[in-house]
Amino acid sequence: MTSVVVRRLASACALSAAAAVALVAPGVANASLLGQQCSGANIVGRGSSLQKLAQQEVWNPDFNTSANLKACNGTQGSLGIPTVTYESTGSGAGLEAWGVNGHAFEAEKVAYVGTDAPPNAAQRAEIQSHSSKPTLNTLQTIPVLQTAIAIPINLPAHCSATSTPTPGRLVLDNVTLEKIWRGAITKWSEITENGDKLLNKESLTCNKSAAITRVVRLDESGTTAIFKKYLGLINSEKNIVGEMGWTELSTGKPFNQEWPGTVVRPETKGGQALVAKVAETESSIGYADLADVRHNGSFAPTLGGGGHKRFWAKVQNNGLAQEGETYADPATNGDSATVANANCSSTEYTNGEVPFPPASTLELWNEVTTNTKEPHYTICGLTYDLTFTEYSKYPGTTLGEATTTNNFLLFALNGAEGGGAQLIKGHDYLGLPSSLTSIASKGASKTRF
């Protein structure tokens, strides 16, 4: 039957070499859907700054050097070595590369989009409107990593800190955390739970009532979305900014960039810029993924002891009660300069009310958040890469682009030795929970031309 089909097709037009191989080689997909492994083009991914260190320092280079069977180091598949380059522009800019907010659609230049703020229904429709068949559901939201959002602090001049649970650092219960970011707590002297207090450092005078400066992202940010969704779990009021609550303020322009009261922004985009701004701004507080905070180097313990001036805080992990609090660190190895893992194992992802792992990468993931009660750290989140199940339906895309995107994501999600999920260990991220690994891998497999 197959030979009859081939003869009929051949009589109509000449088959490409790739298509001919696909029709006869066992286990190789039809070339109209996907090329042979490692036969694809060099590609660019763009978006989430939270993924920057994972992509640029681990996955992108290892894709071309790992001996893992899902990688492309010149010994697998077609023996090609297609390269993957990641541009860290922020989640909002990544979505705009695929046409969100009325921007030009650039899928021929940007093969996949990294984002920590998954597209909502309107954004999904806007992206898919560029398809030749916009009614088809072809946009995939593929989770690739877990992350912890840390709270870096730079105390006022001549100050160090202490608390009963964590001498040398402050701890923040959830109510206090939300009040700081809402602007209801404005001075360090108002942070008093669990023995929190500022101390004079080295016999110098610390202004313990100094104002707290909140440092926020310059750009539309998925990290901001994760953090604001968490604040929304603490306080569901709808009057944080105007008539909008934290959840409504988490995504989209201009809402993602709006905060109550006066805030300070770095001059450049990205999580690393925010962390650098906190590090240089006395009496400030910020939020960023653990990898960016520890990578900065300013928030590790100070040699010689004597208390920290810069540190990340432990955050309450047993709900909203302001008695009997327990706290957790965003890092599995706590307050250390040595990289480890995000402290997010056993996190139950929800839609804010009930467990909510969508069953497919073709569904909406924009409601995913965590809980204020978790076994470990609570301000955890997922980060995602967007792909298409049918790149051919979108202008300018190519078989080579779809092939390398498929190959790269299958490598990044692979948990075998040399696979991306193993290689990312010890880089201040965390691989996906087992409940999501299968969903994500199926999505990567469905990424085709």
Side-chain angles (χ1 to χ4, degrees), residues 44-397:
V44 172
R46 183 185 297 173
S48 163
S49 66
L50 185 154
Q51 291 185 31
K52 177 180 180 179
L53 295 176
Q55 295 265 3
Q56 294 183 356
E57 297 190 4
V58 184
W59 288 346
N60 295 173
D62 279 286
F63 179 61
N64 294 127
T65 56
S66 172
N68 186 276
L69 293 178
K70 300 292 186 183
C72 288
N73 73 348
T75 63
Q76 300 99 322
S78 71
L79 308 186
I81 309 179
T83 61
V84 180
T85 301
Y86 188 76
E87 298 175 351
S88 172
T89 59
S91 295
L95 291 173
E96 288 179 347
W98 275 12
V100 171
N101 297 328
H103 279 247
F105 181 74
E106 300 180 88
E108 78 281 3
K109 298 178 181 178
V110 179
Y112 66 93
V113 169
T115 181
D116 328 309
N120 57 30
Q123 291 168 329
R124 169 186 284 275
E126 190 171 12
I127 292 172
Q128 293 186 154
S129 70
H130 298 278
S131 169
S132 60
K133 294 188 177 180
T135 58
L136 292 180
N137 187 11
T138 54
L139 178 65
Q140 294 199 102
T141 303
I142 303 176
V144 293
L145 278 178
Q146 297 182 85
T147 186
I149 306 303
I151 308 299
I153 288 173
N154 183 353
L155 294 175
H158 314 311
C159 293
S160 62
T162 193
S163 62
T164 302
T166 311
R169 291 191 287 166
L170 298 176
V171 294
L172 296 174
D173 69 34
N174 282 313
V175 171
T176 296
L177 176 70
E178 191 274 335
K179 284 184 175 180
I180 291 171
W181 286 96
R182 181 161 40 97
I185 287 178
T186 61
K187 299 177 181 178
W188 295 103
S189 57
E190 296 172 325
I191 304 174
T192 59
E193 66 268 25
N194 293 92
D196 275 343
K197 60 182 177 180
L198 301 193
L199 305 173
N200 293 327
K201 189 175 177 65
E202 300 171 351
S203 302
L204 299 171
T205 301
C206 161
N207 180 4
K208 301 170 187 178
S209 296
I212 299 171
T213 298
R214 295 171 297 154
V215 180
V216 305
R217 285 281 288 268
L218 175 68
D219 49 329
E220 186 182 352
S221 158
T223 305
T224 301
I226 293 173
F227 186 49
K228 283 184 174 179
K229 285 180 185 177
Y230 185 77
L231 296 178
L233 297 176
I234 302 168
N235 181 359
S236 61
E237 294 176 3
K238 301 299 182 184
N239 60 348
I240 304 300
V241 175
E243 297 181 354
M244 303 184 73
W246 286 119
T247 301
E248 291 76 20
L249 291 167
S250 65
T251 54
K253 280 189 173 179
F255 314 115
N256 178 267
Q257 294 166 284
E258 292 185 351
W259 294 86
T262 301
V263 295
V264 170
R265 304 176 194 271
E267 295 181 357
T268 56
K269 299 177 180 179
Q272 291 183 352
L274 183 150
V275 176
K277 186 68 174 177
V278 176
E280 70 184 29
T281 305
E282 290 187 331
S283 199
S284 68
I285 188 170
Y287 61 93
D289 67 277
L290 172 67
D292 280 344
V293 176
R294 185 135 56 184
H295 185 267
N296 179 275
S298 298
F299 298 89
T302 303
L303 293 177
H308 305 352
K309 184 180 186 302
R310 300 183 185 90
F311 53 88
W312 58 77
K314 281 189 173 183
V315 175
Q316 183 181 8
N317 68 343
N318 67 334
L320 304 181
Q322 291 189 286
E323 57 182 22
E325 301 99 317
T326 59
Y327 299 88
D329 197 285
T332 53
N333 64 340
D335 187 27
S336 171
T338 304
V339 293
N341 295 311
N343 195 17
C344 297
S345 62
S346 303
T347 294
E348 179 183 59
Y349 290 101
T350 75
N351 67 351
E353 297 177 357
V354 296
F356 185 66
S360 166
T361 55
L362 287 169
E363 295 184 23
L364 291 170
W365 289 69
N366 62 296
E367 292 186 355
V368 173
T369 184
T370 179
N371 292 292
T372 60
K373 291 183 180 180
E374 292 288 352
H376 303 292
Y377 193 66
T378 50
I379 318 177
C380 294
L382 300 171
T383 184
Y384 312 79
D385 287 343
L386 306 185
T387 73
F388 297 118
T389 58
E390 296 184 67
Y391 275 74
S392 61
K393 298 293 189 292
Y394 292 85
T397 59

